[in-house]
Amino acid sequence: MYQRILVAIDNSHSTPRALDEALKLAGIHQAELHLVTVINLLEVAVDEPRSHDTSRLTTQADAQGEAILAPALAQAASHTGPVHPAVRHCWEGGKDIAHALLVHAKEIDADLIVMGTHGRHGLRHALLGSVAEYVMRESYLPVLVVRSAH
């Protein structure tokens, strides 16, 4: 039985489908949903090159994360159990994002991780990597990966 389901949230096409699956499972198991997005502080710093203050970067990252979480929170509004949003930070992509998700899963004692994937392959996959692949490879928990319909 799942009690706490972590759902990785980003602004990709696969996120709503992954959240739909998580909502179904959470409803069946009366589980808490933990909606987590990870913001890359380096990307925020590049977007705001004059901002060298880490606390300012963190504030901007939190605002960006809350904007990413907003549609997911609206989608999850029908869930009768608790829904916990969270914004995490990292300084790199790929493995660092995956690591932040796994750390959060451990901190909340999650039973399952649900996430979307873009389904990249070939050169795009080699260059961009796959957060879902890193999570699957390193997770001690079951991971449900939902591919985008696009």
Side-chain angles (χ1 to χ4, degrees), residues 63-112:
Q64 186 178 2
E66 289 170 12
I68 291 170
L69 286 169
L73 286 167
Q75 184 179 348
S78 64
H79 181 57
T80 57
V83 177
H84 306 282
V87 177
R88 299 295 294 232
H89 307 130
C90 69
W91 281 101
E92 297 179 21
K95 290 181 186 178
D96 206 24
I97 293 170
H99 178 74
L101 290 169
L102 292 169
V103 166
H104 194 86
K106 187 172 185 175
E107 288 175 358
I108 65 165
D109 196 24
D111 303 303
L112 174 69

Tab-separated table of all heavy atoms in Angstrom, residues 63-112:
chain	number	residue	atom	x	y	z
A	63	ALA	N	10.168	31.282	-6.796
A	63	ALA	CA	9.057	31.868	-7.555
A	63	ALA	C	8.839	31.099	-8.859
A	63	ALA	O	7.697	30.810	-9.245
A	63	ALA	CB	9.319	33.342	-7.836
A	64	GLN	N	9.930	30.762	-9.522
A	64	GLN	CA	9.831	29.979	-10.759
A	64	GLN	C	9.230	28.599	-10.461
A	64	GLN	O	8.366	28.116	-11.192
A	64	GLN	CB	11.219	29.837	-11.378
A	64	GLN	CG	11.231	29.163	-12.727
A	64	GLN	CD	12.646	29.091	-13.308
A	64	GLN	OE1	13.624	29.506	-12.696
A	64	GLN	NE2	12.743	28.547	-14.499
A	65	GLY	N	9.668	27.985	-9.381
A	65	GLY	CA	9.142	26.673	-8.999
A	65	GLY	C	7.667	26.716	-8.664
A	65	GLY	O	6.898	25.823	-9.065
A	66	GLU	N	7.252	27.756	-7.947
A	66	GLU	CA	5.835	27.893	-7.618
A	66	GLU	C	4.986	28.066	-8.873
A	66	GLU	O	3.869	27.542	-8.951
A	66	GLU	CB	5.633	29.054	-6.645
A	66	GLU	CG	6.175	28.749	-5.255
A	66	GLU	CD	6.203	29.949	-4.337
A	66	GLU	OE1	5.601	30.999	-4.671
A	66	GLU	OE2	6.839	29.839	-3.271
A	67	ALA	N	5.514	28.774	-9.863
A	67	ALA	CA	4.791	28.939	-11.135
A	67	ALA	C	4.674	27.599	-11.862
A	67	ALA	O	3.641	27.312	-12.484
A	67	ALA	CB	5.504	29.964	-12.012
A	68	ILE	N	5.707	26.775	-11.786
A	68	ILE	CA	5.660	25.449	-12.417
A	68	ILE	C	4.684	24.541	-11.673
A	68	ILE	O	3.970	23.744	-12.288
A	68	ILE	CB	7.074	24.836	-12.479
A	68	ILE	CG1	7.932	25.610	-13.486
A	68	ILE	CG2	7.026	23.348	-12.835
A	68	ILE	CD1	9.406	25.259	-13.453
A	69	LEU	N	4.637	24.658	-10.361
A	69	LEU	CA	3.746	23.813	-9.554
A	69	LEU	C	2.273	24.210	-9.666
A	69	LEU	O	1.395	23.370	-9.452
A	69	LEU	CB	4.169	23.861	-8.089
A	69	LEU	CG	5.434	23.103	-7.717
A	69	LEU	CD1	5.867	23.449	-6.304
A	69	LEU	CD2	5.231	21.597	-7.875
A	70	ALA	N	1.983	25.461	-9.992
A	70	ALA	CA	0.599	25.952	-9.987
A	70	ALA	C	-0.362	25.104	-10.833
A	70	ALA	O	-1.426	24.712	-10.337
A	70	ALA	CB	0.554	27.416	-10.416
A	71	PRO	N	-0.038	24.783	-12.105
A	71	PRO	CA	-0.973	23.952	-12.872
A	71	PRO	C	-1.140	22.543	-12.278
A	71	PRO	O	-2.232	21.981	-12.311
A	71	PRO	CB	-0.338	23.865	-14.267
A	71	PRO	CG	0.658	24.967	-14.321
A	71	PRO	CD	1.083	25.232	-12.923
A	72	ALA	N	-0.076	22.006	-11.700
A	72	ALA	CA	-0.160	20.683	-11.084
A	72	ALA	C	-1.051	20.722	-9.840
A	72	ALA	O	-1.833	19.799	-9.598
A	72	ALA	CB	1.234	20.168	-10.736
A	73	LEU	N	-0.936	21.781	-9.066
A	73	LEU	CA	-1.798	21.927	-7.888
A	73	LEU	C	-3.255	22.050	-8.297
A	73	LEU	O	-4.145	21.484	-7.651
A	73	LEU	CB	-1.357	23.127	-7.055
A	73	LEU	CG	-0.072	22.927	-6.263
A	73	LEU	CD1	0.440	24.256	-5.731
A	73	LEU	CD2	-0.293	21.932	-5.135
A	74	ALA	N	-3.517	22.775	-9.379
A	74	ALA	CA	-4.889	22.887	-9.881
A	74	ALA	C	-5.403	21.524	-10.344
A	74	ALA	O	-6.547	21.155	-10.074
A	74	ALA	CB	-4.955	23.907	-11.017
A	75	GLN	N	-4.545	20.782	-11.034
A	75	GLN	CA	-4.922	19.446	-11.512
A	75	GLN	C	-5.188	18.501	-10.337
A	75	GLN	O	-6.060	17.645	-10.407
A	75	GLN	CB	-3.816	18.886	-12.406
A	75	GLN	CG	-4.135	17.553	-13.035
A	75	GLN	CD	-3.006	17.061	-13.934
A	75	GLN	OE1	-2.082	17.797	-14.272
A	75	GLN	NE2	-3.083	15.807	-14.313
A	76	ALA	N	-4.443	18.653	-9.253
A	76	ALA	CA	-4.565	17.765	-8.097
A	76	ALA	C	-5.640	18.221	-7.111
A	76	ALA	O	-5.845	17.574	-6.083
A	76	ALA	CB	-3.218	17.666	-7.386
A	77	ALA	N	-6.344	19.291	-7.413
A	77	ALA	CA	-7.334	19.840	-6.483
A	77	ALA	C	-8.440	18.850	-6.138
A	77	ALA	O	-9.027	18.919	-5.056
A	77	ALA	CB	-7.930	21.125	-7.048
A	78	SER	N	-8.717	17.912	-7.014
A	78	SER	CA	-9.779	16.941	-6.763
A	78	SER	C	-9.353	15.835	-5.796
A	78	SER	O	-10.198	15.084	-5.308
A	78	SER	CB	-10.233	16.306	-8.079
A	78	SER	OG	-9.165	15.556	-8.647
A	79	HIS	N	-8.063	15.740	-5.511
A	79	HIS	CA	-7.575	14.697	-4.605
A	79	HIS	C	-8.083	14.971	-3.194
A	79	HIS	O	-7.972	16.076	-2.684
A	79	HIS	CB	-6.043	14.653	-4.632
A	79	HIS	CG	-5.462	13.587	-3.749
A	79	HIS	ND1	-5.790	12.265	-3.883
A	79	HIS	CD2	-4.578	13.658	-2.726
A	79	HIS	CE1	-5.137	11.558	-2.981
A	79	HIS	NE2	-4.384	12.387	-2.261
A	80	THR	N	-8.651	13.948	-2.581
A	80	THR	CA	-9.252	14.131	-1.257
A	80	THR	C	-8.234	14.082	-0.118
A	80	THR	O	-8.534	14.504	0.987
A	80	THR	CB	-10.335	13.064	-1.001
A	80	THR	OG1	-9.750	11.767	-1.136
A	80	THR	CG2	-11.498	13.225	-1.966
A	81	GLY	N	-7.032	13.587	-0.402
A	81	GLY	CA	-6.005	13.526	0.632
A	81	GLY	C	-5.081	14.720	0.578
A	81	GLY	O	-5.252	15.627	-0.240
A	82	PRO	N	-4.073	14.711	1.434
A	82	PRO	CA	-3.117	15.823	1.478
A	82	PRO	C	-2.282	15.927	0.202
A	82	PRO	O	-1.892	14.914	-0.388
A	82	PRO	CB	-2.209	15.478	2.665
A	82	PRO	CG	-2.951	14.454	3.459
A	82	PRO	CD	-3.823	13.726	2.496
A	83	VAL	N	-2.022	17.158	-0.205
A	83	VAL	CA	-1.152	17.456	-1.345
A	83	VAL	C	-0.098	18.440	-0.849
A	83	VAL	O	-0.440	19.513	-0.365
A	83	VAL	CB	-1.930	18.055	-2.533
A	83	VAL	CG1	-0.980	18.412	-3.672
A	83	VAL	CG2	-3.023	17.105	-3.006
A	84	HIS	N	1.161	18.049	-0.957
A	84	HIS	CA	2.261	18.862	-0.451
A	84	HIS	C	3.156	19.311	-1.606
A	84	HIS	O	3.862	18.481	-2.185
A	84	HIS	CB	3.106	18.066	0.550
A	84	HIS	CG	2.322	17.463	1.668
A	84	HIS	ND1	1.896	18.200	2.751
A	84	HIS	CD2	1.878	16.198	1.863
A	84	HIS	CE1	1.232	17.414	3.572
A	84	HIS	NE2	1.200	16.194	3.060
A	85	PRO	N	3.160	20.591	-1.946
A	85	PRO	CA	4.071	21.078	-2.984
A	85	PRO	C	5.437	21.399	-2.382
A	85	PRO	O	5.536	21.778	-1.208
A	85	PRO	CB	3.388	22.348	-3.478
A	85	PRO	CG	2.634	22.841	-2.279
A	85	PRO	CD	2.211	21.616	-1.511
A	86	ALA	N	6.480	21.240	-3.197
A	86	ALA	CA	7.832	21.579	-2.733
A	86	ALA	C	8.696	21.989	-3.915
A	86	ALA	O	8.592	21.419	-5.000
A	86	ALA	CB	8.470	20.393	-2.018
A	87	VAL	N	9.540	22.991	-3.670
A	87	VAL	CA	10.525	23.427	-4.650
A	87	VAL	C	11.895	23.074	-4.089
A	87	VAL	O	12.229	23.462	-2.971
A	87	VAL	CB	10.438	24.947	-4.907
A	87	VAL	CG1	11.515	25.388	-5.884
A	87	VAL	CG2	9.048	25.330	-5.406
A	88	ARG	N	12.660	22.325	-4.876
A	88	ARG	CA	14.042	21.987	-4.507
A	88	ARG	C	14.972	22.724	-5.462
A	88	ARG	O	14.559	23.141	-6.545
A	88	ARG	CB	14.282	20.478	-4.615
A	88	ARG	CG	13.424	19.597	-3.729
A	88	ARG	CD	13.678	19.784	-2.256
A	88	ARG	NE	14.995	19.371	-1.845
A	88	ARG	CZ	15.255	18.537	-0.846
A	88	ARG	NH1	14.262	18.009	-0.160
A	88	ARG	NH2	16.487	18.249	-0.515
A	89	HIS	N	16.236	22.828	-5.061
A	89	HIS	CA	17.232	23.518	-5.886
A	89	HIS	C	18.403	22.598	-6.188
A	89	HIS	O	18.705	21.699	-5.414
A	89	HIS	CB	17.771	24.758	-5.169
A	89	HIS	CG	16.707	25.681	-4.706
A	89	HIS	ND1	16.653	26.161	-3.423
A	89	HIS	CD2	15.638	26.217	-5.344
A	89	HIS	CE1	15.613	26.946	-3.290
A	89	HIS	NE2	14.979	26.989	-4.440
A	90	CYS	N	19.058	22.870	-7.302
A	90	CYS	CA	20.307	22.200	-7.650
A	90	CYS	C	21.154	23.194	-8.441
A	90	CYS	O	20.695	24.278	-8.771
A	90	CYS	CB	20.043	20.921	-8.438
A	90	CYS	SG	19.390	21.190	-10.095
A	91	TRP	N	22.382	22.814	-8.740
A	91	TRP	CA	23.272	23.698	-9.495
A	91	TRP	C	23.587	23.162	-10.872
A	91	TRP	O	24.263	23.795	-11.656
A	91	TRP	CB	24.574	23.952	-8.726
A	91	TRP	CG	24.393	24.975	-7.652
A	91	TRP	CD1	24.226	24.739	-6.315
A	91	TRP	CD2	24.319	26.391	-7.817
A	91	TRP	NE1	24.055	25.918	-5.649
A	91	TRP	CE2	24.122	26.952	-6.534
A	91	TRP	CE3	24.407	27.243	-8.911
A	91	TRP	CZ2	24.013	28.318	-6.330
A	91	TRP	CZ3	24.306	28.610	-8.698
A	91	TRP	CH2	24.104	29.134	-7.422
A	92	GLU	N	23.136	21.972	-11.188
A	92	GLU	CA	23.383	21.383	-12.501
A	92	GLU	C	22.111	20.692	-12.968
A	92	GLU	O	21.125	20.653	-12.259
A	92	GLU	CB	24.547	20.388	-12.420
A	92	GLU	CG	25.859	21.049	-12.022
A	92	GLU	CD	27.001	20.052	-11.923
A	92	GLU	OE1	26.903	18.971	-12.511
A	92	GLU	OE2	27.979	20.374	-11.237
A	93	GLY	N	22.152	20.094	-14.139
A	93	GLY	CA	20.989	19.386	-14.660
A	93	GLY	C	21.102	17.897	-14.433
A	93	GLY	O	21.899	17.433	-13.630
A	94	GLY	N	20.303	17.127	-15.171
A	94	GLY	CA	20.370	15.670	-15.206
A	94	GLY	C	20.510	14.982	-13.868
A	94	GLY	O	19.554	14.865	-13.115
A	95	LYS	N	21.708	14.506	-13.596
A	95	LYS	CA	21.957	13.734	-12.375
A	95	LYS	C	21.681	14.555	-11.116
A	95	LYS	O	21.203	14.012	-10.121
A	95	LYS	CB	23.403	13.239	-12.349
A	95	LYS	CG	23.700	12.179	-13.352
A	95	LYS	CD	25.155	11.735	-13.246
A	95	LYS	CE	25.479	10.767	-14.356
A	95	LYS	NZ	26.885	10.347	-14.319
A	96	ASP	N	21.973	15.836	-11.149
A	96	ASP	CA	21.760	16.686	-9.976
A	96	ASP	C	20.265	16.854	-9.691
A	96	ASP	O	19.847	16.852	-8.533
A	96	ASP	CB	22.440	18.043	-10.202
A	96	ASP	CG	22.831	18.740	-8.914
A	96	ASP	OD1	23.013	18.049	-7.891
A	96	ASP	OD2	22.958	19.979	-8.934
A	97	ILE	N	19.477	16.987	-10.735
A	97	ILE	CA	18.022	17.069	-10.560
A	97	ILE	C	17.501	15.756	-9.998
A	97	ILE	O	16.709	15.730	-9.049
A	97	ILE	CB	17.326	17.416	-11.902
A	97	ILE	CG1	17.694	18.839	-12.329
A	97	ILE	CG2	15.805	17.258	-11.784
A	97	ILE	CD1	17.259	19.189	-13.739
A	98	ALA	N	17.962	14.649	-10.568
A	98	ALA	CA	17.557	13.327	-10.089
A	98	ALA	C	17.944	13.145	-8.627
A	98	ALA	O	17.141	12.650	-7.819
A	98	ALA	CB	18.188	12.244	-10.958
A	99	HIS	N	19.150	13.565	-8.276
A	99	HIS	CA	19.608	13.436	-6.897
A	99	HIS	C	18.711	14.242	-5.953
A	99	HIS	O	18.347	13.761	-4.871
A	99	HIS	CB	21.068	13.900	-6.779
A	99	HIS	CG	21.595	13.845	-5.387
A	99	HIS	ND1	21.919	12.662	-4.752
A	99	HIS	CD2	21.831	14.830	-4.488
A	99	HIS	CE1	22.331	12.924	-3.531
A	99	HIS	NE2	22.294	14.241	-3.354
A	100	ALA	N	18.332	15.457	-6.347
A	100	ALA	CA	17.453	16.283	-5.515
A	100	ALA	C	16.102	15.599	-5.310
A	100	ALA	O	15.544	15.625	-4.204
A	100	ALA	CB	17.267	17.663	-6.144
A	101	LEU	N	15.569	14.974	-6.355
A	101	LEU	CA	14.302	14.235	-6.223
A	101	LEU	C	14.449	13.057	-5.268
A	101	LEU	O	13.580	12.812	-4.425
A	101	LEU	CB	13.823	13.753	-7.593
A	101	LEU	CG	13.336	14.829	-8.556
A	101	LEU	CD1	13.146	14.248	-9.955
A	101	LEU	CD2	12.045	15.463	-8.046
A	102	LEU	N	15.548	12.325	-5.395
A	102	LEU	CA	15.772	11.160	-4.536
A	102	LEU	C	15.982	11.561	-3.077
A	102	LEU	O	15.505	10.874	-2.165
A	102	LEU	CB	16.946	10.340	-5.054
A	102	LEU	CG	16.690	9.637	-6.389
A	102	LEU	CD1	17.979	9.066	-6.951
A	102	LEU	CD2	15.618	8.565	-6.246
A	103	VAL	N	16.677	12.666	-2.848
A	103	VAL	CA	16.851	13.162	-1.482
A	103	VAL	C	15.498	13.541	-0.887
A	103	VAL	O	15.184	13.200	0.256
A	103	VAL	CB	17.833	14.361	-1.449
A	103	VAL	CG1	17.769	15.101	-0.122
A	103	VAL	CG2	19.260	13.891	-1.737
A	104	HIS	N	14.678	14.214	-1.681
A	104	HIS	CA	13.349	14.599	-1.190
A	104	HIS	C	12.515	13.353	-0.885
A	104	HIS	O	11.834	13.299	0.146
A	104	HIS	CB	12.638	15.495	-2.205
A	104	HIS	CG	11.452	16.184	-1.625
A	104	HIS	ND1	11.548	17.377	-0.942
A	104	HIS	CD2	10.138	15.845	-1.600
A	104	HIS	CE1	10.345	17.741	-0.521
A	104	HIS	NE2	9.472	16.830	-0.908
A	105	ALA	N	12.578	12.367	-1.759
A	105	ALA	CA	11.836	11.118	-1.538
A	105	ALA	C	12.248	10.472	-0.215
A	105	ALA	O	11.394	9.995	0.548
A	105	ALA	CB	12.070	10.158	-2.698
A	106	LYS	N	13.532	10.480	0.059
A	106	LYS	CA	14.022	9.892	1.309
A	106	LYS	C	13.550	10.711	2.515
A	106	LYS	O	13.128	10.147	3.530
A	106	LYS	CB	15.538	9.803	1.288
A	106	LYS	CG	16.110	9.057	2.458
A	106	LYS	CD	17.592	8.825	2.292
A	106	LYS	CE	18.098	7.955	3.434
A	106	LYS	NZ	19.494	7.591	3.271
A	107	GLU	N	13.611	12.028	2.405
A	107	GLU	CA	13.212	12.905	3.514
A	107	GLU	C	11.745	12.737	3.891
A	107	GLU	O	11.389	12.846	5.065
A	107	GLU	CB	13.499	14.364	3.167
A	107	GLU	CG	14.969	14.707	3.181
A	107	GLU	CD	15.266	16.132	2.723
A	107	GLU	OE1	14.319	16.865	2.346
A	107	GLU	OE2	16.445	16.509	2.738
A	108	ILE	N	10.894	12.488	2.907
A	108	ILE	CA	9.459	12.351	3.203
A	108	ILE	C	9.058	10.894	3.386
A	108	ILE	O	7.891	10.595	3.607
A	108	ILE	CB	8.586	13.007	2.103
A	108	ILE	CG1	8.745	12.284	0.770
A	108	ILE	CG2	8.863	14.497	2.004
A	108	ILE	CD1	7.686	12.620	-0.252
A	109	ASP	N	10.020	9.989	3.262
A	109	ASP	CA	9.765	8.549	3.380
A	109	ASP	C	8.733	8.103	2.338
A	109	ASP	O	7.752	7.428	2.653
A	109	ASP	CB	9.312	8.208	4.798
A	109	ASP	CG	9.411	6.723	5.103
A	109	ASP	OD1	10.213	6.025	4.443
A	109	ASP	OD2	8.670	6.252	5.993
A	110	ALA	N	8.970	8.490	1.089
A	110	ALA	CA	8.060	8.152	-0.012
A	110	ALA	C	8.035	6.641	-0.258
A	110	ALA	O	9.010	5.932	0.031
A	110	ALA	CB	8.489	8.878	-1.282
A	111	ASP	N	6.921	6.185	-0.787
A	111	ASP	CA	6.754	4.775	-1.141
A	111	ASP	C	6.877	4.549	-2.645
A	111	ASP	O	7.074	3.431	-3.088
A	111	ASP	CB	5.359	4.284	-0.720
A	111	ASP	CG	5.094	4.477	0.748
A	111	ASP	OD1	5.863	3.969	1.564
A	111	ASP	OD2	4.104	5.167	1.079
A	112	LEU	N	6.698	5.622	-3.422
A	112	LEU	CA	6.675	5.525	-4.874
A	112	LEU	C	7.062	6.867	-5.461
A	112	LEU	O	6.700	7.914	-4.919
A	112	LEU	CB	5.257	5.153	-5.359
A	112	LEU	CG	4.989	5.133	-6.866
A	112	LEU	CD1	5.729	3.970	-7.519
A	112	LEU	CD2	3.490	5.038	-7.138
